[in-house]
Amino acid sequence: MKTIWNAVTKNITWRTALAVILGNLILGCGIALLRFSLMGNDPYTASMLAISGGLKVGLGNYQLTLNIILLVIQLIWGRQYLGFGTIVNMCFLGYIVQFVSYLLGLLFGSMAEVALVLRVVVMFLSMMIVAFGLAMYQVADLGVAPYDYLALGMRDHFRNPYFIDRVITDGVCVLTIVIAVLTGFIGWEGSNLGLGTIICAFGLGPFINLFMPWNKKWMKKDV
């Protein structure tokens, strides 16, 4: 237990702790806005939204439960990737997305009847927000979420390129959604797949890198 506590609290400063908290808040808002655009979420979030919707349980509760299961894998094989950021992300991100999604629906209703051009604009705006939150969260370097560890763990143990392992984990998420649709567990409208899914899977990296220097600067990390 002491070893786990040391892993969670290592390298924490008030700046990096603040960055983890703010980064996850911003990330959650961006994910919720991307969902609101109806243009498709990233593969992992899409699978969380789809399966939790099919089970009729809250996103926060479902994601926390799955994260606890994945955390066991991380504790066994990837304790070096455990940190304060791991706990914040796994415990709170799902609830942030759930709450902000509720607020957006309450304030603005649905974008189902909105012009496609406007929905695309909202999609790209939300991706900028997601990238900014991820950059802040990653620069803090206080551990990774249990799902993000899966690709890192596969890279470490099987010596594959990280990109390949990330495609595999994201591909499993998409496959899970497709199976859920084909079996009638959810409808296509509840899949949360779309253009945004493709862009998130292959295009978020450059945007994250764009925001890295500013976050390194205010956290007083080497730029």
Side-chain angles (χ1 to χ4, degrees):
M1 184 63 69
K2 184 177 180 180
T3 303
I4 296 174
W5 173 255
N6 290 338
V8 171
T9 58
K10 67 181 179 183
N11 301 326
I12 289 183
T13 67
W14 73 267
R15 291 177 188 272
T16 55
L18 180 63
V20 165
I21 295 169
L22 286 179
N24 276 280
L25 282 171
I26 294 169
L27 175 59
C29 291
I31 291 173
L33 189 60
L34 185 57
R35 179 189 187 188
F36 185 66
S37 75
L38 302 178
M39 295 298 293
N41 282 84
D42 66 275
Y44 177 62
T45 302
S47 68
M48 294 295 99
L49 292 168
I51 303 305
S52 65
L55 293 173
K56 308 299 182 187
V57 299
L59 172 65
N61 290 338
Y62 176 75
Q63 188 165 340
L64 177 59
T65 301
L66 182 60
N67 275 332
I68 290 173
I69 295 172
L70 296 178
L71 180 64
V72 174
I73 299 174
Q74 189 173 356
L75 285 171
I76 296 173
W77 287 293
R79 196 170 294 181
Q80 68 272 26
Y81 295 107
L82 183 66
F84 177 68
T86 307
I87 305 303
V88 172
N89 184 279
M90 67 172 282
C91 292
F92 299 108
L93 183 60
Y95 293 105
I96 295 169
V97 175
Q98 184 176 331
F99 178 69
V100 176
S101 295
Y102 168 77
L103 283 183
L104 288 172
L106 190 65
L107 294 173
F108 304 107
S110 172
M111 292 197 76
E113 303 301 323
V114 175
L116 178 61
V117 173
L118 181 57
R119 287 167 54 194
V120 170
V121 170
V122 173
M123 178 189 73
F124 278 107
L125 174 62
S126 63
M127 286 183 178
M128 294 299 99
I129 297 172
V130 167
F132 186 81
L134 280 171
M136 186 178 293
Y137 168 56
Q138 291 178 8
V139 168
D141 195 24
L142 293 182
V144 301
Y147 173 76
D148 293 327
Y149 162 70
L150 292 179
L152 291 169
M154 290 169 64
R155 180 200 65 186
D156 293 346
H157 286 82
F158 300 112
R159 306 303 178 186
N160 297 324
Y162 172 76
F163 175 78
I164 298 298
D165 293 321
R166 185 71 192 206
V167 168
I168 291 173
T169 56
D170 284 349
V172 169
C173 291
V174 174
L175 180 61
T176 300
I177 297 172
V178 171
I179 292 173
V181 172
L182 292 177
T183 57
F185 182 68
I186 60 172
W188 175 255
E189 67 280 357
S191 69
N192 294 282
L193 296 176
L195 176 63
T197 308
I198 300 172
I199 297 176
C200 282
F202 297 102
L204 268 183
F207 296 125
I208 294 172
N209 288 333
L210 181 67
F211 296 121
M212 285 284 192
W214 182 84
N215 282 295
K216 288 180 179 180
K217 185 175 180 180
W218 80 265
M219 275 182 261
K220 299 188 181 304
K221 289 177 171 274
D222 295 332
V223 177

